[in-house]
Amino acid sequence: MLPMTQDNGDLDSLVRKRIRALRVAQGWSLEELATRAQVSQSTLSRIENGQRRLALDQLVVLARALDTTLDQLVETAAEDVVVSPTIDARHGLMRWPVRADPGMSVVRQRMTNPPPAGTARMRAHP
């Protein structure tokens, strides 16, 4: 288990912001996410606020509780950084606006519906 250290402080800060943003987007309190992740509320608060070091095992548990992947939680690509996930209640979806050129709106959406019964109906997209 390798804790995230100050050597990669930018990533550390980004991951903390993502954890909080994903929690808030779900409409969850610290207590609710802490319960889902089976960590104490104070531990989760200290993780979000940078007062506790992030450990790989904690990130895995938090990613699962937030219904995301570890890869998405620690992704560093500048052109695809989660800034403020939102719940689209009308469609029952979570959407992640990503950085883009000024005046441009880009949204990343995770599709989790089961695949269609027939593979002929499956389509690929960029």
Side-chain angles (χ1 to χ4, degrees):
M1 166 173 60
L2 297 172
M4 298 183 88
T5 64
Q6 291 183 6
D7 293 352
N8 51 10
D10 290 342
L11 177 61
D12 184 90
S13 176
L14 179 64
V15 170
R16 292 172 193 280
K17 287 177 186 174
R18 282 190 181 144
I19 290 169
R20 184 177 193 288
L22 287 166
R23 176 180 62 78
V24 170
Q26 292 282 9
W28 295 341
S29 64
L30 278 168
E31 181 181 12
E32 187 164 353
L33 178 55
T35 299
R36 290 172 183 268
Q38 297 180 342
V39 298
S40 75
Q41 187 175 339
S42 78
T43 295
L44 180 58
S45 177
R46 290 191 316 247
I47 287 171
E48 285 187 3
N49 293 320
Q51 298 171 353
R52 183 179 176 115
R53 293 173 68 175
L54 289 170
L56 183 57
D57 60 338
Q58 290 173 326
L59 290 178
V60 170
V61 169
L62 287 169
R64 285 185 187 139
L66 290 163
D67 192 30
T68 191
T69 65
L70 185 57
D71 288 349
Q72 290 172 331
L73 203 55
V74 300
E75 182 176 49
T76 60
E79 69 278 0
D80 192 19
V81 176
V82 174
V83 291
S84 57
T86 58
I87 298 290
D88 178 351
R90 188 169 141 221
H91 298 102
L93 304 170
M94 182 182 295
R95 295 174 184 237
W96 295 268
V98 295
R99 284 189 192 148
D101 294 328
M104 180 180 193
S105 177
V106 179
V107 176
R108 179 167 123 185
Q109 183 174 324
R110 186 168 153 191
M111 307 295 278
T112 57
N113 292 340
T119 56
R121 292 183 42 209
M122 294 179 74
R123 301 279 190 260
H125 60 85

